[in-house]
């Protein structure tokens, strides 16, 4: 039944006597509906006139039917739009109850910088892109900024991606969700969005660009100047990296490029994500968003170091926990706080995980705090899992990077093995290209291995930098990483590859010897209780049997380093002691399996130990024809940051002048 054009009342009365039953049908038009041209949706007004059947008496009403028609009733288009949204993605969504946000008095300067940028409608950039490592506090900042913008009535829309939520781990609902929020801020905009959906029910199956154009850009362009001025303008998107499809991430970034670079929208965008490959390509110099974006890199410790704020948060939370649990004031110490802050490495997620674990209702806070502080990677632990939340994050990133790598048919290496090899000696600050050569990989192989791990590690000038030490702890702890554990294989593989490079006597031998000693010792430190570390021992036995030239090179390089050290040249000597220790630890496993190789290794170890005791005169007597010019050239060689092939050939020529020659492997 169509609603009438004016107020009406149909009342059919069967007699008019006291207590008569009166079936009534009433149809009304709700005059409190908002005018669609109003700038904001207003609540319906209540009538203050006489009530229905006022002043009537002495009758009863049966089968009463009362219909209200609203001239601005929701259209089918709006209902269709709502079903296409992701309610869980809103900043104040019920599903995100108690979301992470910045603690009081933390990130004060950074929050001010972001809010100042958002409020500056004349800013040259319309996109603020914030990147940071996993756990750097990006989502907490986005939540805080969203609440601030909502309080200032400038929040147009928000969308929080989440990898674990099927409604917001893709971009299918992104534009409809933004359009829905915009429609709530302007009746005129809502009406135009409704009509667009009614006219094109398949709009949600079109590209993001088509959706943005039809649902947002075109309707906004038709607003009057006054309506446009009253429209909130800040659109916030968090966690784009948690969108499961890389192509979808790129598609959304292209939509932003179209909006801000082509000046198609009055909105400003604040987007946050980990620095994944797709994002880096867009933001780097020459990238399509480079000039359009105001960048904030939370990894810039010079500007955005969070250690002070983390300390403040940890101290406050521990103090509040103690008060709530009636603990003595000395239940934790400043040293405890220092340890947590140091382990956090500037990343909020570590401190947040610690505090969440210590604050759990079941269990004593003192005991849980001690569990965290005494935790050591690889050490046999209790059943407690204080870093379970952190482990889930690391596992998510690691598994996704592994899948991305293996999806490329030209990638044939063992992803976890190579990654673990890179991380073994991250403290040595070697070039990743050097590792690729040691491991026998093609040039540039490291780029495809670490490319999708930019939220955990950084390629800084060709060297690997870990944002957070806890990732290395996770990676090397079999109990935490589970089926992805590969450290033992990586240690054995690195030893084997180092021995192979040394046997080739190429330009990598110098550094390979140092890496060999460190890796061998690390292997035995972790496998001292095993019956026999087969892989490492077998690699050394094979090297003893097949590579006499390799041993000559090792001895010459070790001796040469000792010689330079005794001459007080400004070079750091090889860790001869480490190399001797590595050989010593081989003996028990080689004695029965390869007695000749064991005897040879023992002889080498004894000579190296003796060399360490030389004085300066003995070192001089041991070297032939080492003129001052030669010494000067050697010093210049070791002082240089880059060594040419001619320098290397000169060094090898000097090494060849050494009088001592080791015995053959058959002796």
């Amino acid at each position: 039944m169509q609603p009438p054009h004016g107020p009406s009342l149909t009342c059919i009365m069967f007699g008019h006597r006291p207590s008569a039953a009166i079936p009534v049908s009433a149809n009304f038009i709700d005059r409190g509906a908002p005018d669609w041209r109003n700038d904001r949706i207003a609540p319906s007004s209540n009538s203050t006139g006489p009530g229905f059947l006022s002043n009537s008496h002495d009758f009863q009403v049966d089968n009463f039917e009362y219909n209200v028609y609203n001239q601005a009733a929701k259209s089918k288009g709006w209902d269709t739009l709502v079903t296409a949204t992701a309610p869980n993605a809103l900043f104040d969504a019920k599903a995100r109850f108690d979301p992470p946000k910045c603690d009081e008095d933390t990130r004060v300067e950074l929050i001010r910088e972001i809010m100042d940028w958002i409020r500056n409608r004349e800013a040259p950039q319309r996109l603020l892109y914030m990147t940071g490592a996993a756990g750097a506090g990006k989502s907490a900042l986005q939540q805080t900024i969203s609440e601030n913008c909502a309080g200032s009535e400038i929040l147009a829309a928000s969308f929080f991606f989440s990898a674990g939520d099927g409604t917001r781990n893709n971009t299918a609902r992104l534009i409809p969700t933004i359009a829905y929020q915009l429609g709530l801020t302007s009746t005129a905009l809502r009406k135009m969005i409704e009509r667009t959906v009614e006219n094109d029910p398949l709009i949600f199956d079109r590209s993001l660009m088509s959706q943005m154009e039809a649902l947002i850009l075109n309707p906004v362009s038709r607003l009057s100047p006054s309506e446009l001025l009253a429209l909130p303008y800040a659109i916030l998107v968090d966690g784009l990296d948690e969108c499961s499809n890389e192509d979808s991430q790129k598609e959304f970034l292209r939509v932003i490029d179209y909006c801000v670079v082509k000046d198609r929208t009055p909105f400003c965008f604040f987007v946050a994500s980990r620095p994944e490959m797709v994002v880096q390509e867009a933001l780097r110099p020459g990238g399509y968003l480079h000039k359009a974006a105001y960048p904030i890199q939370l990894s810039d410790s010079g500007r955005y170091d969070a250690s002070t704020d983390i300390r403040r948060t940890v101290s406050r939370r521990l103090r509040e926990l103690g008060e709530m649990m009636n603990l003595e004031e000395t239940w934790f110490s400043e040293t405890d706080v220092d340890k947590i802050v140091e382990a956090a490495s500037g990343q909020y997620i570590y401190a947040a995980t610690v505090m969440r674990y210590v604050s759990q209702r079941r269990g004593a806070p003192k005991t849980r705090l001690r569990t965290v502080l005494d935790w050591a990677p690889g050490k046999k632990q209790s059943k407690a899992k204080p870093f379970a939340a952190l482990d889930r994050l690391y596992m998510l990133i690691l598994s996704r990077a592994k899948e991305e790598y293996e999806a490329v048919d030209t990638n044939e290496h063992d992803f976890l093995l190579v990654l673990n090899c890179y991380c073994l000696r991250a403290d040595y600050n070697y070039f990743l290209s050097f590792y690729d050569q040691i491991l026998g990989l093609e040039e540039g192989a490291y780029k495809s291995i670490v490319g999708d791990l930019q939220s955990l590690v950084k390629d800084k000038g060709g060297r690997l930098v870990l944002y957070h030490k806890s990732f290395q702890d996770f990676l090397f702890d079999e109990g935490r990483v589970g089926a992805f554990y590969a450290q033992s294989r990586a240690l054995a593989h690195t030893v084997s590859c180092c021995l192979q490079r040394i046997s080739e006597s190429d330009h990598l031998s110098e550094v390979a010897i140092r890496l060999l000693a460190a890796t061998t010792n690390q292997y035995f430190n972790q496998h001292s209780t095993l019956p026999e570390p087969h892989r490492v021992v077998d690699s050394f036995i094979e090297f003893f049997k097949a590579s006499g030239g390799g041993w000559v090179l090792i001895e010459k390089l070790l001796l040469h380093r000792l010689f330079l050290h005794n001459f007080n040249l400004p070079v750091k000597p090889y860790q001869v002691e480490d190399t001797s220790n590595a050989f010593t630890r081989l003996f028990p496993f080689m004695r029965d399996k390869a007695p000749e190789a064991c005897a040879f290794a023992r002889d080498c170890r004894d000579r190296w130990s003796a060399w360490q005791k030389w004085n300066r005169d003995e070192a001089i007597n041991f070297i032939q024809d080492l003129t001052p010019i030669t010494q000067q050239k050697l010093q210049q060689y070791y002082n240089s940051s880059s060594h040419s092939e001619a320098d290397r050939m000169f060094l090898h020529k000097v090494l060849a002048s050494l009088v001592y020659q080791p015995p053959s492997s058959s002796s």
Side-chain angles (χ1 to χ4, degrees):
M1 179 175 64
Q2 296 296 321
H5 296 289
S8 67
L9 172 65
T10 303
C11 184
I12 305 174
M13 304 179 66
F14 297 90
H16 185 61
R17 62 178 181 270
S19 303
I22 306 175
V24 176
S25 174
N27 297 315
F28 290 97
I29 297 298
D30 178 8
R31 291 300 182 184
D35 183 345
W36 76 276
R37 293 302 299 179
N38 287 343
D39 194 53
R40 299 292 173 97
I41 296 178
S44 300
S45 57
N46 296 323
S47 174
T48 57
F52 177 54
L53 297 179
S54 60
N55 299 322
S56 299
H57 57 86
D58 295 331
F59 65 89
Q60 71 180 46
V61 178
D62 292 333
N63 302 320
F64 184 74
E65 180 184 351
Y66 181 80
N67 298 315
V68 176
Y69 294 92
N70 188 333
Q71 287 178 320
K74 289 187 296 183
S75 73
K76 183 179 179 181
W78 186 257
D79 291 340
T80 303
L81 175 73
V82 170
T83 61
T85 63
N88 293 353
L90 305 181
F91 85 94
D92 56 354
K94 181 178 180 180
R96 298 185 63 249
F97 171 72
D98 195 21
K101 56 184 176 181
C102 299
D103 275 4
E104 182 183 358
D105 297 329
T106 63
R107 298 289 204 180
V108 174
E109 293 300 322
L110 180 54
I111 292 172
R112 182 181 296 115
E113 178 182 354
I114 295 171
M115 288 303 300
D116 286 348
W117 178 87
I118 291 175
R119 291 191 178 102
N120 182 10
R121 302 299 297 273
E122 304 301 321
Q125 296 98 350
R126 306 277 285 284
L127 166 65
L128 189 156
Y129 208 111
M130 180 173 68
T131 58
K138 301 180 297 297
S139 293
L141 280 163
Q142 278 278 25
Q143 181 68 30
T144 300
I145 297 299
S146 294
E147 294 179 5
N148 288 353
C149 288
S152 301
E153 297 186 345
I154 59 175
L155 180 65
S158 64
F159 194 100
F160 284 71
F161 282 97
S162 176
D165 187 335
T167 67
R168 53 190 179 112
N169 64 0
N170 55 74
T171 57
R173 297 172 180 266
L174 174 59
I175 303 301
T177 304
I178 294 175
Y180 166 81
Q181 294 172 82
L182 287 172
L184 295 181
T185 67
S186 167
T187 310
L189 202 54
R190 171 171 169 167
K191 278 293 183 182
M192 287 186 277
I193 294 172
E194 287 175 357
R195 291 168 185 165
T196 298
V197 177
E198 288 174 354
N199 293 335
D200 184 5
L202 297 181
I203 183 62
F204 307 119
D205 295 319
R206 304 190 186 281
S207 68
L208 292 186
M209 189 73 76
S210 296
Q211 292 182 46
M212 175 64 83
E213 193 73 75
L215 294 174
I216 297 176
L217 299 183
N218 284 343
V220 168
S221 68
R222 293 160 55 192
L223 292 175
S224 68
S226 61
E227 291 168 335
L228 197 59
L229 187 63
L231 196 67
Y233 56 87
I235 297 178
L236 278 60
V237 177
D238 180 63
L240 180 60
D241 55 279
E242 298 207 27
C243 172
S244 58
N245 188 295
E246 194 174 84
D247 289 337
S248 296
Q249 297 175 26
K250 186 181 298 184
E251 184 182 11
F252 178 61
L253 291 177
R254 284 293 185 182
V255 169
I256 292 181
D257 170 51
Y258 178 73
C259 291
V260 300
V261 176
K262 305 297 189 298
D263 199 24
R264 287 297 316 274
T265 172
F267 305 112
C268 66
F269 294 84
F270 174 26
V271 184
S273 75
R274 300 169 194 149
E276 305 293 29
M277 194 177 299
V278 169
V279 175
Q280 288 192 349
E281 289 175 352
L283 296 177
R284 68 188 179 191
Y288 55 89
L289 285 176
H290 176 65
K291 293 183 178 179
Y294 179 89
I296 289 181
Q297 297 177 336
L298 296 182
S299 59
D300 184 351
S301 58
R303 293 187 62 192
Y304 304 113
D305 181 42
S307 296
T308 301
D309 288 338
I310 291 174
R311 178 183 301 280
R312 186 180 293 115
T313 297
V314 170
S315 295
R316 178 189 297 139
R317 296 286 180 85
L318 290 176
R319 185 172 59 255
E320 291 173 349
L321 179 62
E323 293 172 354
M324 183 177 65
M325 301 296 291
N326 293 319
L327 301 175
E328 64 274 15
E329 292 184 1
T330 58
W331 81 275
F332 73 94
S333 68
E334 285 303 311
T335 301
D336 296 336
V337 176
D338 291 341
K339 289 181 179 179
I340 295 173
V341 173
E342 181 180 0
S345 305
Q347 307 300 312
Y348 262 99
I349 190 170
Y350 180 88
T353 301
V354 168
M355 294 312 305
R356 190 179 301 115
Y357 175 75
V358 174
S359 303
Q360 287 179 4
R361 295 181 180 179
R362 293 179 177 83
K366 286 184 180 180
T367 303
R368 288 180 174 270
L369 181 59
R370 293 266 69 83
T371 298
V372 170
L373 297 175
D374 295 340
W375 187 276
K379 176 183 174 184
K380 187 176 181 180
Q381 310 289 351
S382 65
K383 293 182 180 180
K385 296 183 177 181
F387 304 118
L390 194 62
D391 292 352
R392 286 193 294 271
L393 173 64
Y394 287 158
M395 183 61 77
L396 172 67
I397 298 171
L398 189 61
S399 58
R400 181 179 293 178
K402 181 175 180 290
E403 290 173 3
E404 292 289 344
Y405 176 82
E406 294 174 348
V408 179
D409 55 7
T410 56
N411 291 337
E412 300 177 348
H413 305 302
D414 186 326
F415 175 83
L416 293 173
L417 175 65
V418 177
L419 174 63
N420 273 262
C421 288
Y422 291 159
C423 293
L424 286 176
R425 306 309 310 181
D427 55 328
Y428 273 33
N429 204 26
Y430 287 147
F431 283 105
L432 287 165
S433 58
F434 160 76
Y435 272 111
D436 283 347
Q437 293 179 69
I438 288 288
L439 299 176
L441 306 180
E442 70 277 7
E443 183 178 355
Y446 71 89
K447 295 179 181 178
S448 58
I449 295 291
V450 304
D452 289 298
L453 289 169
Q454 296 299 310
S455 60
L456 300 176
V457 301
K458 178 169 63 173
D459 171 9
K460 186 176 182 180
R463 292 182 168 90
L464 185 70
V465 176
L466 302 179
Y467 282 120
H468 203 302
K469 183 183 178 298
S470 65
F471 173 64
Q472 190 180 49
D473 295 341
F474 163 78
L475 197 63
F476 293 166
D477 191 327
E478 187 173 6
R480 296 172 65 186
V481 77
F484 279 16
Y485 179 72
Q487 188 200 19
S488 292
R489 290 195 299 127
L491 285 166
H493 185 64
T494 301
V495 168
S496 177
C497 290
C498 284
L499 289 171
Q500 186 174 347
R501 300 291 87 77
I502 293 169
S503 67
E504 295 168 355
S505 299
D506 65 3
H507 66 282
L508 294 172
S509 298
E510 270 190 86
V511 188
I513 293 171
R514 183 187 179 198
L515 182 60
L516 172 68
T519 307
T520 302
N521 281 310
Q522 187 177 357
Y523 185 91
F524 282 105
N525 285 340
Q526 298 179 204
H527 297 83
S528 57
T529 59
L530 294 182
E532 183 178 8
H534 297 283
R535 286 170 291 183
V536 167
V537 174
D538 288 345
S539 295
F540 271 98
I541 291 175
E542 187 64 29
F543 181 75
F544 282 130
K545 291 180 178 179
S547 184
W551 286 114
V552 171
L553 182 60
I554 288 179
E555 292 209 302
K556 285 183 177 181
L557 287 174
L558 290 175
L559 179 60
H560 194 226
R561 280 285 181 160
L562 285 171
F563 154 72
L564 287 173
H565 182 53
N566 283 325
F567 263 93
N568 298 317
L569 297 183
V571 296
K572 191 173 183 179
Y574 264 112
Q575 300 299 318
V576 180
E577 184 176 356
D578 285 350
T579 310
S580 298
N581 289 341
F583 273 55
T584 301
R585 303 176 84 168
L586 288 166
F587 299 156
F589 302 100
M590 295 175 62
R591 187 180 299 113
D592 297 329
K593 195 169 186 178
E596 289 186 2
C598 181
F600 180 70
R602 189 184 296 275
D603 183 55
C604 291
R605 190 279 312 269
D606 292 343
R607 286 197 304 275
W608 298 342
S609 298
W611 290 346
Q612 289 181 276
K613 300 176 183 178
W614 282 358
N615 59 38
R616 185 172 183 275
D617 292 335
E618 289 172 325
I620 294 174
N621 293 333
F622 195 78
I623 304 299
Q624 291 180 341
D625 301 325
L626 200 60
T627 65
I629 296 177
T630 303
Q631 293 181 30
Q632 183 179 3
K633 287 184 178 180
L634 284 172
Q635 182 173 358
Q636 183 178 8
Y637 169 78
Y638 279 104
N639 285 342
S640 174
S641 59
S642 62
H643 312 307
S644 67
E645 187 61 27
D647 290 329
R648 295 188 183 282
M649 294 303 295
F650 169 76
L651 176 62
H652 290 171
K653 182 178 179 181
V654 173
L655 289 172
S657 70
L658 295 176
V659 172
Y660 181 80
Q661 292 292 329
S664 65
S665 58
S666 61
S667 60

